[in-house]
Amino acid sequence: MGSHAASRPLRARASGPLAGSLRVPGDKSISHRSLMLGAVALGETVIEGLLEAEDVLNTAAAMRALGASVEKGDDGCWRVRGLGVGGLLEPTGVIDFGNAGTGVRLTMGLVASQPIAVTFTGDASLVKRPMRRVLDPLGAMGVEVIARSGGRLPLTMRGPDTPLPITYRVPMASAQVKSAVLLAGLGTPGVTTVVEPVFTRDHTERMLAGFGAAIEVATDADGVRTIRLEGRPELKAQAVTVPADPSSAAFPIVAATVVPGSDVVVEGVLMNPARIGLIETLLEMGADITVVAERETGGEKLADLRVRHADLSGVTVPAERAPSMIDEYPVLSVAAAVAAGETRMLGLEEMRVKESDRLAAVAAGLLANGVDCTEGHDFLVVRGGAVPGGGLVATHLDHRIAMSFLILGLVARAPVTVDDAAMIATSFPTFEALMTGAGAVFEPAEG
Ligand SMILES: O=C(O)C1=C[C@@H](OP(=O)(O)O)[C@@H](O)[C@H](O)C1
Ligand SMILES: C=C(OP(=O)(O)O)C(=O)O
């Protein structure tokens, strides 16, 4: 089963102004999907700017275990030679996805419409996360599953000889569940339909269309999206350029906003409307973020963002915004901790089923550093001001908890220590180098 190297405590202390231009790595969602679609396309998919972090490297290894060829070239681009829809091979060993929910859930969908047995596992965080949300619709398509009780990893699944196309209404706001059903629909004869009452990141829909699938999206007057995918298409290999990940950009953006005197440019950030809830919220709080250059690549908008320090005020973040910033609440909570007044974040139930229970982890980390907050079952209220700091934060194998509290340390009166910075490598291996290059002060610590 996936295990991780020894934990590595790290401390952040109050820093001078942050400055410079920085480029965060490629988007994690698009990176996973480009490897997966490349594996079931015909020909060679060339990926520029793939995120080379543990989560995505585990997906690369999984696609190899399923028979695709996945290599990094001397030019830095990754090349995937795919097997065509329905052409994946039965792996000989267990596929270990480490810490990656997206990797494992989307791959379950990808293999579900083929009669091959595949066994999945993950690290101590991933084996606690709910998989029924994906197993239920895949079961309705005819997949057999043997899982631990509660539908947890490790589990083995085998797809049916003839999968059934389904119409599935996604019961929670989850792009992973939507994507797993659509990827299963690729190998299913007929039309697979996903009904999405709440709009979540749409990279799977965009990329399926880009690889040549017949996919249609209709949105009704209430915003409910109906996605129809024609099964068994011939997908054609593509050239994919991966924009910078807005969920990683969130850390320097919040850091530059809260550290006095800062002036930073974050380059080439993906500005997909389903991913920019944090920027919208920070602007409402009074942040100074300007778009300096806007462009488009592969059907996605990108921008360079100039971020200067600003004094923030608390706001109410409505529940409807949660899907467009679901991974950003931990770092928004840091901005809320320095903002004047109260920030109320609503509709946070999905935060509890991430790499850790992020709602509980954020509230505990804030309280440990003298920040007043109230944790509800699906909301968080932070009362901001000067941050005392001085606390030790339990990160629970969660990269975003580690990065968020290191940012808090840059503005706290006393240093903030996180018990393990090692997990940052799952999504943003260059985080420490980029942040210290811009002026952040991090130092090794004892747990
Ligand atoms: O589809 C994706 O790439 C992701 C969807 C989100 O998860 P949920 O679908 O569980 O909300 C997000 O938290 C995760 O980091 C990436
Ligand atoms: C929730 C996250 O990822 P995943 O679900 O892929 O583990 C994340 O990166 O914040």
Side-chain angles (χ1 to χ4, degrees):
M1 184 176 307
S3 61
H4 207 274
S7 60
R8 184 166 62 82
L10 194 67
R11 178 173 299 135
R13 42 176 86 249
S15 311
L18 304 178
S21 264
L22 42 96
R23 197 181 163 83
V24 306
D27 186 66
K28 180 156 71 74
S29 296
I30 293 178
S31 293
H32 281 302
R33 286 159 172 83
S34 52
L35 291 168
M36 290 177 197
L37 291 183
V40 292
L42 290 174
E44 187 175 84
T45 287
V46 181
I47 310 165
E48 190 186 335
L50 185 86
L51 169 64
E52 294 176 4
E54 285 172 10
D55 276 16
V56 174
L57 296 177
N58 282 329
T59 291
M63 294 307 113
R64 275 190 209 112
L66 290 162
S69 128
V70 183
E71 299 303 334
K72 184 179 178 180
D74 294 338
D75 57 359
C77 290
W78 286 71
R79 290 182 168 73
V80 184
R81 290 204 73 85
L83 300 158
V85 169
L88 297 173
L89 306 176
E90 187 170 79
T92 51
V94 173
I95 302 189
D96 187 339
F97 273 95
N99 195 244
T102 311
V104 77
R105 292 194 180 115
L106 270 59
T107 302
M108 284 181 194
L110 194 71
V111 303
S113 47
Q114 283 192 228
I116 56 175
V118 186
T119 301
F120 298 97
T121 193
D123 72 3
S125 157
L126 195 59
V127 299
K128 289 191 202 146
R129 293 177 69 183
M131 296 297 150
R132 278 234 169 97
R133 49 180 55 203
V134 169
L135 301 178
D136 286 349
L138 298 184
M141 297 173 95
V143 173
E144 286 174 74
V145 179
I146 299 177
R148 275 171 61 221
S149 38
R152 312 275 155 169
L153 296 175
L155 64 79
T156 299
M157 60 165 51
R158 175 193 285 280
D161 289 321
T162 310
L164 299 170
I166 58 169
T167 293
Y168 191 67
R169 191 178 175 90
V170 185
M172 68 291 288
S174 171
Q176 293 178 7
V177 174
K178 165 178 69 177
S179 301
V181 177
L182 289 173
L183 293 175
L186 275 179
T188 302
V191 175
T192 294
T193 306
V194 176
V195 179
E196 187 182 48
V198 180
F199 181 42
T200 63
R201 68 191 68 193
D202 58 354
H203 309 302
T204 302
E205 297 92 300
R206 287 173 189 253
M207 292 179 73
L208 279 170
F211 276 74
I215 182 166
E216 280 171 17
V217 183
T219 307
D220 75 11
D222 298 324
V224 177
R225 297 170 82 237
T226 300
I227 306 157
R228 290 191 182 80
L229 174 72
E230 185 81 52
R232 306 203 162 161
E234 188 170 295
L235 298 184
K236 288 181 203 64
Q238 296 297 307
V240 179
T241 301
V242 185
D245 193 328
S247 299
S248 298
F251 299 102
I253 290 172
V254 169
T257 297
V258 297
V259 175
S262 297
D263 187 350
V264 159
V265 174
V266 190
E267 297 166 5
V269 181
L270 173 68
M271 296 293 280
N272 179 305
R275 301 289 301 279
I276 55 174
L278 174 76
I279 294 175
E280 198 182 337
T281 304
L282 289 172
L283 289 170
E284 286 174 6
M285 295 172 82
D288 182 351
I289 303 172
T290 49
V291 172
V292 271
E294 220 171 359
R295 51 204 182 271
E296 227 179 271
T297 181
E300 295 277 13
K301 267 200 198 127
L302 324 186
D304 294 347
L305 300 172
R306 181 173 183 191
V307 188
R308 281 170 280 194
H309 168 259
D311 292 325
L312 302 179
S313 310
V315 294
T316 294
V317 191
E320 311 82 80
R321 199 177 294 162
S324 68
M325 54 178 297
I326 190 63
D327 295 340
E328 282 69 76
Y329 286 100
V331 76
L332 175 65
S333 304
V334 170
V338 298
E342 215 172 71
T343 297
R344 308 172 64 80
M345 300 167 231
L346 310 175
L348 304 186
E349 60 277 8
E350 280 294 307
M351 269 182 86
R352 294 206 182 269
V353 290
K354 300 296 180 186
E355 284 80 330
S356 67
D357 175 345
R358 287 184 175 160
L359 195 37
V362 166
L366 291 175
L367 292 171
N369 285 287
V371 178
D372 185 20
C373 65
T374 305
E375 174 194 348
H377 72 287
D378 67 348
F379 66 86
L380 180 66
V381 180
V382 178
R383 285 167 283 274
V387 177
L392 173 65
V393 176
T395 54
H396 304 286
L397 297 176
D398 192 325
H399 53 133
R400 298 206 197 276
I401 299 300
M403 290 186 276
S404 298
F405 281 96
L406 288 168
I407 303 298
L408 186 72
L410 304 181
V411 279
R413 282 205 201 103
V416 172
T417 307
V418 300
D419 67 356
D420 187 13
M423 298 309 290
I424 293 172
T426 62
S427 72
F428 192 173
T430 53
F431 170 79
E432 286 166 55
L434 283 180
M435 293 305 304
T436 53
V441 183
F442 296 152
E443 62 198 25
E446 315 75 48

